[in-house]
Amino acid sequence: MIKILIVEDEKPISDLIRINLSEAGYYCDCAFDGLSAAAMIDENKYDLILLDIMLPEADGYELMEYIRPQRIPVIFLTAKATVHDRVKGLKLGADDYLIKPFEIVELLARVEAVLRRYHVGQTVVEIGDVVVDTGSRMVKKENSEVQLTKKEYELLIFFIQNNNIALSRDTIYEKIWESDYMGDSRTVDLHVQRLRKKLGWENLVTAVYKFGYRLEIDNEAVVETFR
Ligand code: CA
């Protein structure tokens, strides 16, 4: 699910944005001042940040300096409609800006446009009867949803990205569990087994002797589309 951080100190505006983005299928977190926003950005992976300029603690411009190296797309929310402020925001690396008050349809359109530019959540991959939608994190087989755990899903995406490449257990472990491989190959094996079973991919995810696993799909059978 696409995660959006809303940094806005005016509660009614924050609520309005959160409710509408949630209804549109996005996951939203809210920060009401600059410092807690920075802390939340450190702890979470956001796909997009909506950033107010006038904020307590640290303002939107200061936060932008902090966010920019992390390459998270940003839309400024601003009541300041002057050319100077808009230019300043864009120069700091914002992707777009919205002038308050704004219509919800405009907010949604800009959010979608920025996410599309970053290809966030836009990919739909079809592999035989399995369809993976990275936007909704939905996986379907023969049109019915397959329930995958977070790790199983990440494993699936990692296999797809490395189709036809043998992946060692170490590499898989370090990528999916984001920590150093401690030699516990059972974790990887168990997850691969479950993924195979859920997708009916017993013959597609093959074991590489004393090494790891490989997803084996004819590249021509993989259809990738950007919505
Ligand atoms: Ca404000």
Side-chain angles (χ1 to χ4, degrees):
M1 196 180 219
I2 295 174
K3 280 183 94 171
I4 298 177
L5 177 64
I6 302 160
V7 189
E8 166 62 74
D9 60 323
E10 286 163 76
K11 185 95 176 22
I13 299 177
S14 172
D15 285 348
L16 182 74
I17 297 173
R18 178 179 48 79
I19 290 163
N20 282 282
L21 289 182
S22 302
E23 270 179 14
Y26 300 105
Y27 175 89
C28 299
D29 278 342
C30 299
F32 299 96
D33 65 75
L35 288 184
S36 44
M40 291 167 86
I41 292 163
D42 281 342
E43 282 166 25
N44 299 277
K45 277 188 184 166
Y46 293 109
D47 298 300
L48 174 67
I49 299 172
L50 302 181
L51 185 57
D52 185 23
I53 292 177
M54 303 297 280
L55 289 165
E57 311 288 347
D59 71 18
Y61 294 132
E62 290 174 90
L63 262 180
M64 191 62 220
E65 304 273 8
Y66 184 74
I67 296 165
R68 192 167 44 178
Q70 312 193 37
R71 300 179 179 279
I72 307 167
V74 170
I75 298 176
F76 266 121
L77 305 173
T78 175
K80 295 178 162 186
T82 69
V83 173
H84 172 79
D85 286 307
R86 272 184 270 167
V87 170
K88 186 173 177 185
L90 294 173
K91 268 191 177 164
L92 280 171
D95 294 273
D96 207 345
Y97 57 87
L98 267 167
I99 296 165
K100 291 186 274 189
F102 45 79
E103 297 287 330
I104 287 302
V105 283
E106 189 186 5
L107 167 75
L108 292 173
R110 291 192 186 241
V111 164
E112 276 174 31
V114 170
L115 290 172
R116 197 179 312 128
R117 221 179 295 154
Y118 278 76
H119 291 306
V120 172
Q122 299 302 318
T123 321
V124 178
V125 189
E126 290 181 52
I127 302 157
D129 58 2
V130 172
V131 178
V132 183
D133 184 332
T134 61
S136 56
R137 286 180 88 104
M138 174 107 74
V139 179
K140 286 183 174 177
K141 184 176 173 65
E142 290 169 351
N143 266 329
S144 49
E145 192 178 348
V146 181
Q147 299 289 342
L148 296 182
T149 64
K150 187 168 175 284
K151 295 298 181 199
E152 288 164 358
Y153 176 81
E154 288 171 6
L155 184 60
L156 170 63
I157 297 295
F158 192 49
F159 273 130
I160 292 172
Q161 288 167 342
N162 294 282
N163 185 25
N164 291 315
I165 295 170
L167 300 168
S168 71
R169 287 189 178 82
D170 308 31
T171 305
I172 295 171
Y173 189 87
E174 285 168 13
K175 171 73 187 176
I176 307 301
W177 280 268
E178 289 175 358
S179 58
D180 284 344
Y181 185 62
M182 300 299 285
D184 184 10
S185 62
R186 278 192 315 165
T187 308
V188 173
D189 293 339
L190 277 175
H191 279 77
V192 170
Q193 271 173 35
R194 270 189 248 137
L195 186 63
R196 273 175 174 159
K197 200 171 175 194
K198 288 183 180 180
L199 297 177
W201 279 10
E202 284 84 354
N203 298 321
L204 295 183
V205 180
T206 57
V208 181
Y209 184 63
K210 283 190 176 174
F211 184 73
Y213 295 94
R214 177 172 51 220
L215 176 64
E216 290 178 4
I217 298 167
D218 189 348
N219 277 326
E220 282 164 24
V222 181
V223 182
E224 202 168 332
T225 46
F226 294 102
R227 272 192 314 222

